[in-house]
Amino acid sequence: MSEVNAQQVKDLREKTGAGFMDCKTALRESGGDFEGAVRHLRERGLAAAAKRAGRATAEGQIGSYIHVGGKIGVMIEVNCETDFVARTDDFQRLVRDLAMQVAAAARCA
């Protein structure tokens, strides 16, 4: 395992958006090779996504949006894994924004 410096980890984090320790581990396992570390992180990300693919998304929010004038209305359901996430302001804002986007797309169609 080769030694990696903070600048290499910072550069990898900026390129991939991965966490600090994940970047450090990827650089160590790839022997300091930047592109090898990017491949390593990509493979780990795909493996993590595959593990989550079978999980149930039994929680979430139902949101609605009625456009001014009342001619276009949207009801949307957005699911997530936990009620903790569903109750956050960010998730509720996401549901509202998605409903608005669907209404805008329906108006343009």
Side-chain angles (χ1 to χ4, degrees):
M1 303 256 180
S2 73
E3 198 58 36
V4 296
N5 64 41
Q7 186 61 44
Q8 290 173 305
V9 175
K10 181 182 176 194
D11 292 343
L12 186 58
R13 285 191 73 200
E14 287 175 359
K15 181 173 181 173
T16 63
F20 177 82
M21 290 306 293
D22 291 333
C23 289
K24 189 173 181 179
T25 301
L27 282 165
R28 280 189 179 155
E29 290 183 7
S30 67
D33 176 33
F34 190 81
E35 292 305 317
V38 171
R39 278 192 305 277
H40 176 76
L41 288 170
R42 189 172 294 132
E43 289 167 2
R44 284 193 56 205
L46 290 174
K51 281 182 12 183
R52 288 185 170 202
R55 284 185 169 174
T57 54
E59 301 296 330
Q61 287 273 322
I62 295 176
S64 63
Y65 174 77
I66 299 176
H67 191 65
V68 177
K71 292 185 178 184
I72 298 174
V74 173
M75 183 176 281
I76 188 168
E77 176 183 1
V78 181
N79 293 325
C80 60
E81 292 179 4
T82 65
D83 66 331
F84 175 76
V85 171
R87 289 182 283 153
T88 64
D89 290 337
D90 287 338
F91 190 82
Q92 291 174 6
R93 195 171 16 259
L94 170 69
V95 172
R96 174 136 175 95
D97 289 348
L98 288 172
M100 290 174 64
Q101 289 294 321
V102 170
R107 189 161 190 248
C108 293

